[in-house]
Structures are given as C-alpha cells and as structure tokens.
Amino acid sequence: IENKKGRWPANIIHDGLDEEWARYFYNAKANKKEKGGTNHPTVKPLSLMRYLIKLVTPKEGLVLDPFAGTGTTGEACILEDRVGYLIEKEKSYIIDIENRIGKYNELLG
C-alpha cells in the first residue's frame, strides 16, 4: 500500500520486515460497545492490544502504559496473564479505566 502522504490506515499493522513476504495484519477499529461511552479520542481495540502484548512481552514480562487512556492495555494484560502498570494523568479517564478493569475484580481479588 503506497501512500504519498506518509500515513498508514489506523487499523493496519505491519510486522516491520522489509522482505517481500512481510506480513500486514488487519485489525478492526474499536466499535461503539468497546468504546463504552467514553469521550477519549483514541480508544484502541482490545484485540490489537492483546496481540501486541503477546508479540513483545514474555510471560514473566512487565507491561508499562504511561498513557493509559481508557485502560485497554490493562484489560489486555489481565486477559493475557501479564503484569501491567497503567499511568494516566486525566482524572476523567481514570473512571474509564476503573470501569474497564473493575469487571475483573473477582479474578484479581
């Protein structure tokens, strides 16, 4: 896919290889249900964050998300059995994170 403006579609990821057989992965954008009524401008799809965490973090690894937003990375960490630390400075998004992660309290408790 050639784009003279230097931008890629937000729902396509590339494996980074320059080889002819390099792979592209399509990932649907976060849908309305996944956004959960938040006003955050860049909610990431859970499936994408799960994929990325599995790709780059070993089982005993640690995930740090310094811009946690709505907490998608935290939820992906829970589902992929990884330890994650989330940092978010916007108080309005802390509520989003608590709502997203809160549904796993029984598993974490």
Side-chain angles (χ1 to χ4, degrees), residues 44-65:
K44 307 296 183 289
L46 182 58
S47 59
L48 173 63
M49 296 315 297
R50 289 182 76 171
Y51 172 78
L52 291 174
I53 286 170
K54 286 189 291 189
L55 180 68
V56 300
T57 309
K59 280 281 188 187
E60 297 78 28
L62 175 68
V63 176
L64 174 65
D65 186 353

Side-chain angles (χ1 to χ4, degrees), residues 9-13 25-32 34-35 42-51 72:
N11 55 345
I12 301 289
I13 59 175
F25 300 93
Y26 170 79
N27 196 14
K29 294 181 181 183
N31 60 33
K32 201 176 232 184
E34 200 167 9
K35 289 181 181 181
T42 61
V43 177
K44 307 296 183 289
L46 182 58
S47 59
L48 173 63
M49 296 315 297
R50 289 182 76 171
Y51 172 78
T72 308

Side-chain angles (χ1 to χ4, degrees), residues 46 49 53 62-78 82-90 93-102 104 108:
L46 182 58
M49 296 315 297
I53 286 170
L62 175 68
V63 176
L64 174 65
D65 186 353
F67 309 101
T70 62
T72 308
T73 301
E75 183 176 11
C77 285
I78 292 168
R82 303 298 200 279
V83 175
Y85 287 95
L86 307 180
I87 301 169
E88 181 54 58
K89 74 174 190 171
E90 299 294 329
Y93 299 145
I94 300 295
I95 295 168
D96 293 333
I97 294 169
E98 289 172 346
N99 289 336
R100 183 183 288 268
I101 304 298
Y104 297 100
L108 301 173

